[in-house]
Amino acid sequence: MKKLSLLFSLLFLLVGCSSEKTEQASAQPSSEGKTQKGKTEVVFWHAMEGDLGKVLNEIVHDFNASQSTIEVKPVFQGTYEEALTKFNAVAGTKDAPTIMQTFEVGTKYMIDSGKIEPVQTFIDQDHYDVSQWEKNIVNYYTVNGTIYSMPFNSSTPVLIYNKDAFKKAGLDPEKPPMTYSELKEAARKLTKNGNYGFSILNYGWFFEQMLAVQGGLYVNEENGRKGEATKAVFNSEEGLRVFKLIQDMYKEGMFYNVGQNWDDMRAAFQSGKIAMYLDSSAGVRTIVDSAPFEVGVSYLPIPDGVERQGVIIGGASLWMIKDADEAQKKAAWEFMKYLTTPEVQAKWHVKTGYFAINPAAYDLPLVKEQWKKYPQLKVTVNQLKETKATPATQGALISVFPQSRQRVVSAMESLYQGVDPKEALDRAVAETNRELEMARKR
């Protein structure tokens, strides 16, 4: 996490070591943007590795085989942070890609960079119907009525729980906790024999989600959607409820401090160390397949007496690079349209667990068959569909989001040392405000 702050603080002037897992050198376009076979070449930088990378490469291969004029070359560039650092080093040169995958908290940075072409340009030129895209996903990447990037791998947080442990504790496995009081009651019964009832990864994204589901804002100016955000406001009543929940459960001994590593968190769940935890919807299928017990999935719990607002989209989107020639940009747009077809999105959803950008995918036989096997996936989709479109659920826009997330992580960790929740939040807000002020001066 320290790397995030350093990367953004230095405006991405450092270039990380090469970690490409595909042919980096041969993937760069020629000066004419053509392959040796005369096809228009689209270089696609992404951060999908492992099984995700395999699925993405399959989709790209299918697109290339579906027509004879465009060749998309996917190039793995490491983590989102590493990829963005490399992009900043080549932006505006012939070595820049045509399409860039960037995580959601990089949205404001990409817009402010002046290096991207909003996909709205091609939506307008093509009279493309964006109503076929999932509205609650598109909302995140829409600023002042302009869709800046194409949503791609999108996820939200969910509560994952051990149904077998519920049964042993005398809890109904079909009635997961929906409120903080229900969460505490279940966690008490599940905490026994050195095992814990609940855990949350020390990661800012989960705090942001628990804030937004209550309708709480992260920064002023309607979460930076109405105007340039100038100060953080997450030390509100909504934010305090989240921090008090964590500290209260930790003090009572039913909350397990799992740290900041996603693999450690999932391993603790699979081993029975924790019976409930928050995870990304994109991790649901893997957990269901690997856990030695029946896994349940439910909505994000909310404080008692609070109206549920919904969740913010996480994941990443695809950005069109401004300095690519017109032929390459048009070719890239054709590829983006292909990615959002129901058939492609159905494959992406069932093989990765990410949402379908085009909800029509959910009606296809492939998805219906998988939902019978993995009914947990449908729960994640329903939670997204029920999300209300508000500045809170649309997500905050600030260029220093990674730094702010690290401040929140530090504040979360201080709760385990007994720091007062309000004091911890106030400090994270003050530090975020300093980052915002530094960004304005830069």
Side-chain angles (χ1 to χ4, degrees):
M1 297 298 291
K2 290 182 179 178
K3 184 194 298 182
L4 297 182
S5 181
L6 177 61
L7 292 174
F8 278 75
S9 297
L10 295 179
L11 291 175
F12 306 96
L13 292 178
L14 299 177
V15 181
C17 296
S18 174
S19 58
E20 292 77 41
K21 296 186 179 180
T22 55
E23 64 283 6
Q24 171 75 44
S26 62
Q28 301 302 333
S30 66
S31 58
E32 293 81 16
K34 298 286 185 180
T35 67
Q36 291 181 346
K37 295 182 180 180
K39 296 182 179 181
T40 300
E41 187 172 69
V42 173
V43 176
F44 173 21
W45 281 14
H46 68 88
M48 300 284 93
E49 60 182 327
D51 291 339
L52 295 176
K54 291 177 182 177
V55 178
L56 180 59
N57 286 334
E58 288 174 10
I59 291 174
V60 172
H61 177 271
D62 291 345
F63 171 76
N64 288 338
S66 71
Q67 42 72 49
S68 59
T69 60
I70 303 168
E71 182 172 347
V72 176
K73 290 191 174 182
V75 186
F76 176 73
Q77 293 288 4
T79 66
Y80 290 130
E81 296 82 21
E82 290 167 346
L84 201 50
T85 302
K86 294 173 185 177
F87 169 70
N88 190 70
V90 300
T93 75
K94 63 181 181 62
D95 294 322
T98 318
I99 299 175
M100 176 74 186
Q101 181 191 31
T102 301
F103 56 173
E104 89 281 18
V105 294
T107 297
K108 185 68 164 60
Y109 177 84
M110 291 296 281
I111 292 174
D112 291 348
S113 73
K115 302 297 183 182
I116 59 96
E117 180 78 45
V119 295
Q120 187 73 56
T121 300
F122 298 90
I123 291 170
D124 294 342
Q125 290 177 0
D126 211 11
H127 302 290
Y128 184 80
D129 181 16
V130 296
S131 67
Q132 62 187 297
W133 293 356
E134 172 59 59
K135 185 177 181 181
N136 282 325
I137 296 178
V138 177
N139 279 345
Y140 188 100
Y141 301 104
T142 303
V143 181
N144 296 326
T146 297
I147 301 175
Y148 277 89
S149 60
M150 193 205 85
F152 180 51
N153 54 306
S154 297
S155 59
T156 57
V158 288
L159 176 74
I160 294 184
Y161 63 100
N162 182 333
K163 284 191 171 185
D164 291 4
F166 265 53
K167 293 175 184 176
K168 291 178 181 178
L171 296 166
D172 187 342
E174 303 309 319
K175 291 184 178 179
M178 300 293 284
T179 64
Y180 282 9
S181 62
E182 291 174 356
L183 182 69
K184 288 180 177 180
E185 182 181 358
R188 287 189 189 100
K189 294 180 179 180
L190 291 163
T191 299
K192 60 181 67 175
N193 301 323
N195 296 326
Y196 296 80
F198 183 59
S199 182
I200 301 174
L201 191 73
N202 292 332
Y203 184 46
W205 184 60
F206 289 113
F207 171 75
E208 295 153 30
Q209 297 285 355
M210 296 176 77
L211 184 73
V213 75
Q214 305 176 57
L217 298 178
Y218 197 83
V219 290
N220 67 346
E221 294 296 331
E222 300 283 334
N223 251 356
R225 299 282 176 170
K226 183 180 178 181
E228 188 77 16
T230 57
K231 65 178 181 177
V233 296
F234 56 77
N235 57 340
S236 56
E237 181 182 3
E238 294 88 358
L240 190 57
R241 288 183 187 130
V242 178
F243 268 36
K244 288 186 70 174
L245 172 74
I246 295 172
Q247 190 174 73
D248 288 349
M249 293 184 75
Y250 181 77
K251 283 183 175 180
E252 196 172 329
M254 53 188 174
F255 183 100
Y256 182 60
N257 177 14
V258 76
Q260 299 183 33
N261 187 286
W262 288 80
D263 291 337
D264 290 346
M265 174 181 67
R266 290 163 177 161
F269 177 70
Q270 291 168 21
S271 69
K273 187 71 174 178
I274 51 177
M276 300 182 292
Y277 77 105
L278 301 187
D279 202 341
S280 165
S281 57
V284 166
R285 177 168 172 167
T286 299
I287 289 294
V288 172
D289 284 340
S290 57
F293 46 77
E294 189 176 1
V295 175
V297 174
S298 184
Y299 291 10
L300 201 64
I302 59 174
D304 296 75
V306 171
E307 184 178 351
R308 182 181 297 278
Q309 299 299 305
V311 286
I312 309 170
I313 279 297
S317 62
L318 306 183
W319 296 78
M320 189 88 70
I321 304 310
K322 185 177 182 179
D323 292 323
D325 66 39
E326 288 305 310
Q328 288 176 307
K329 286 192 280 192
K330 288 180 180 179
W333 172 239
E334 291 302 314
F335 174 60
M336 287 183 176
K337 288 192 294 183
Y338 174 83
L339 288 178
T340 61
T341 59
E343 294 75 17
V344 173
Q345 284 300 303
K347 179 178 181 179
W348 182 246
H349 173 63
V350 301
K351 287 197 172 186
T352 67
Y354 283 114
F355 293 117
I357 303 306
N358 189 331
Y362 300 136
D363 296 325
L364 297 182
L366 175 62
V367 174
K368 289 184 176 181
E369 290 171 6
Q370 288 297 303
W371 278 5
K372 288 180 181 178
K373 185 178 179 181
Y374 299 97
Q376 299 92 338
L377 290 176
K378 190 173 182 179
V379 175
T380 70
V381 173
N382 289 341
Q383 180 180 229
L384 177 63
K385 285 183 176 180
E386 293 174 20
T387 290
K388 300 175 182 179
T390 69
T393 60
Q394 198 175 7
L397 285 178
I398 53 174
S399 61
V400 295
F401 224 139
Q403 296 98 308
S404 181
R405 273 189 175 174
Q406 181 55 38
R407 306 309 183 194
V408 170
V409 168
S410 297
M412 289 175 71
E413 291 178 333
S414 73
L415 296 175
Y416 311 130
Q417 279 74 54
V419 174
D420 179 73
K422 188 176 188 308
E423 179 186 339
L425 271 177
D426 287 347
R427 183 169 61 243
V429 162
E431 291 169 342
T432 296
N433 287 340
R434 281 196 290 271
E435 296 286 357
L436 287 168
E437 179 61 28
M438 289 170 61
R440 283 195 296 275
K441 289 180 179 178
R442 287 196 295 265

